[in-house]
Amino acid sequence: MQSAEAKMNRNCLLMALRGYSVAVRNMEQTVLLPSLLREVALDQDQDQDQGQGQGGEAAEGSCKDLYECYHMLKAIRNMAESGLALPDECKAMSHQALSKTLEPLLEADPEVLFDFHLKGLFSVLNNLAKTSQRLTSQYMEIIGIAN
């Protein structure tokens, strides 16, 4: 029998994943011409205006422009929904570097480790959803539709 707390955490995780998935689906339905996003930088002023600081920098830092960010957000959503990740040499190298920096955590108590990863997953999903929403807003500005 599951405890109430475990059931609540699972529902919260599903809600966070669903929120990200909905944000990306909305982005896909809004962005009819992704090529308009080429060479357009992601507007970071919205985060700072809303007092959120630099929360989405990791997602945005890996993208050269909105077009690349658009495809990254879709790929991550597809991996999260299907549970499959395509092998890629570049990704494998970054995973190896990351695992070396996280080695001390691997020896931690499993409950602490789970909590650490769960908080990280919530943070990543929220940042990706916000990035998707900002990308959608910027696309609407590009094509001349006011929010």
Side-chain angles (χ1 to χ4, degrees), residues 44-63:
Q44 295 179 350
D45 292 338
Q46 286 181 344
D47 267 354
Q48 293 169 355
D49 291 343
Q50 296 171 1
Q52 294 175 0
Q54 302 174 4
E57 252 183 47
E60 298 154 11
S62 64
C63 299

Side-chain angles (χ1 to χ4, degrees), residues 13-82:
L13 180 58
L14 291 175
M15 287 174 52
L17 184 56
R18 190 173 298 128
Y20 168 61
S21 185
V22 166
V24 173
R25 195 162 283 118
N26 181 44
M27 177 189 73
E28 285 180 302
Q29 291 173 350
T30 303
V31 178
L32 301 177
L33 298 169
S35 60
L36 290 177
L37 301 173
R38 289 187 191 273
E39 298 180 12
V40 177
L42 187 61
D43 185 13
Q44 295 179 350
D45 292 338
Q46 286 181 344
D47 267 354
Q48 293 169 355
D49 291 343
Q50 296 171 1
Q52 294 175 0
Q54 302 174 4
E57 252 183 47
E60 298 154 11
S62 64
C63 299
K64 292 187 292 189
D65 57 14
L66 285 179
Y67 182 77
E68 193 173 295
C69 192
Y70 172 84
H71 287 289
M72 178 204 60
L73 290 164
K74 283 178 48 174
I76 292 172
R77 194 264 329 260
N78 291 340
M79 285 189 294
E81 287 181 350
S82 68

Side-chain angles (χ1 to χ4, degrees), residues 83-101:
L84 300 174
L86 300 174
D88 185 15
E89 289 178 21
C90 183
K91 288 180 186 175
M93 283 189 272
S94 67
H95 286 244
Q96 288 173 352
L98 185 60
S99 67
K100 287 180 183 177
T101 61

Side-chain angles (χ1 to χ4, degrees), residues 104-119:
L105 274 177
L106 298 175
E107 297 170 5
D109 178 28
E111 187 175 355
V112 172
L113 187 60
F114 177 76
D115 184 56
F116 172 78
H117 285 293
L118 188 61
K119 286 178 183 175

